[in-house]
Amino acid sequence: MKLKLKNMDFTLTQKEILEGALLGDGCLELPKNGKNAYFIYRSSCKEHVEFIHKYFKEYCTENNQIVNRAEIFDKRTNKTYVSYWFRTKCLSKFTEVYNTWYKPKKIVPNDISLSTSSVLIWYLGDGELESNYGYIKLHTNSFTKNECKFLSEKLGFESKISLKEKNQWLVTIPRKKVKDFLKFIGECPVE
């Protein structure tokens, strides 16, 4: 099934994967002098990035037909961190999504679906099972308190929002609903 929004022509699965990625660390960027946006995804887990990449490989440049590896030295910690990433071409279909998600900073669109696939990708990228207390955290650092409330209500599972740090919120799934949540997102596609 294809989903069309003006110039956007993604499969329903691609749309859901993109939404889940954008809830987490995925981003769309519009070059300063460019007309169209591109999608970039980065994570410390290669298998995770490869999973996302397979849905957008057709939109990648020749240099991005495989997942790239980067090493970044952090002067603050005096450590080198490894990440994996890919980037698509600049295309009008990504610009349309960019115009929905960035006003001018990243926002949560009102028409987001929070499907099984999008929530799975969000959890893989920015979720964690709090081992000491047994609840799930879905990080939403860049979103406002109201956007996090909206996501929590849309998600269900008796989820709520919690203050992580000053002006940084997260959605939490209580321990009694963790099994329901994990059943909803299904089996993890990566280790």
Side-chain angles (χ1 to χ4, degrees):
M1 175 182 188
K2 290 271 186 185
L3 188 68
K4 265 203 180 286
L5 298 172
K6 296 179 190 165
N7 298 326
M8 191 171 70
D9 187 18
F10 291 117
T11 65
L12 181 58
T13 302
Q14 285 172 323
K15 177 192 177 289
E16 291 172 351
I17 298 292
L18 186 57
E19 283 183 342
L22 290 173
L23 285 171
D25 292 332
C27 69
L28 292 165
E29 293 186 10
L30 189 62
K32 270 189 178 170
N33 297 322
K35 179 175 129 181
N36 288 313
Y38 60 87
F39 172 56
I40 186 165
Y41 196 79
R42 182 182 305 269
S43 173
S44 60
C45 177
K46 183 179 182 183
E47 191 179 12
H48 176 195
V49 177
E50 288 172 337
F51 179 76
I52 305 290
H53 179 258
K54 74 180 180 181
Y55 291 97
F56 298 97
K57 188 175 182 176
E58 68 187 281
Y59 305 120
C60 292
T61 62
E62 204 171 287
N63 294 341
N64 282 295
Q65 288 298 307
I66 60 168
V67 168
N68 298 287
R69 183 179 192 270
E71 290 185 12
I72 300 164
F73 180 74
D74 187 337
K75 292 178 191 174
R76 297 170 299 162
T77 61
N78 205 28
K79 292 182 181 177
T80 299
Y81 296 94
V82 175
S83 67
Y84 299 91
W85 64 277
F86 74 90
R87 181 199 138 156
T88 66
K89 299 175 194 172
C90 295
L91 299 168
S92 60
K93 61 177 68 202
F94 291 114
T95 306
E96 187 168 339
V97 178
Y98 176 90
N99 291 333
T100 303
W101 279 80
Y102 294 82
K103 308 270 184 195
K105 72 174 200 72
K106 195 193 292 190
I107 62 154
V108 177
N110 291 334
D111 64 348
I112 192 166
S113 64
L114 292 187
S115 68
T116 298
S117 296
S118 62
V119 175
L120 169 66
I121 298 306
W122 181 20
Y123 178 68
L124 288 177
D126 263 349
E128 69 177 290
L129 178 61
E130 172 56 58
S131 57
N132 291 337
Y133 303 104
Y135 66 91
I136 288 179
K137 295 179 186 178
L138 294 167
H139 296 272
T140 54
N141 298 356
S142 68
F143 301 124
T144 66
K145 181 179 181 180
N146 286 338
E147 288 171 315
C148 292
K149 280 183 182 178
F150 172 73
L151 286 170
S152 177
E153 290 166 7
K154 190 114 176 153
L155 186 60
F157 297 104
E158 295 180 28
S159 61
K160 61 181 183 176
I161 66 167
S162 303
L163 186 62
K164 178 180 170 183
E165 294 174 18
K166 183 182 177 186
N167 293 324
Q168 289 192 346
W169 297 88
L170 50 88
V171 175
T172 58
I173 311 294
R175 181 172 39 189
K176 66 182 178 180
K177 291 297 178 178
V178 165
K179 284 184 181 177
D180 293 337
F181 176 82
L182 295 175
K183 185 177 178 182
F184 173 71
I185 63 173
E187 193 171 320
C188 184
V190 298
E191 278 191 39

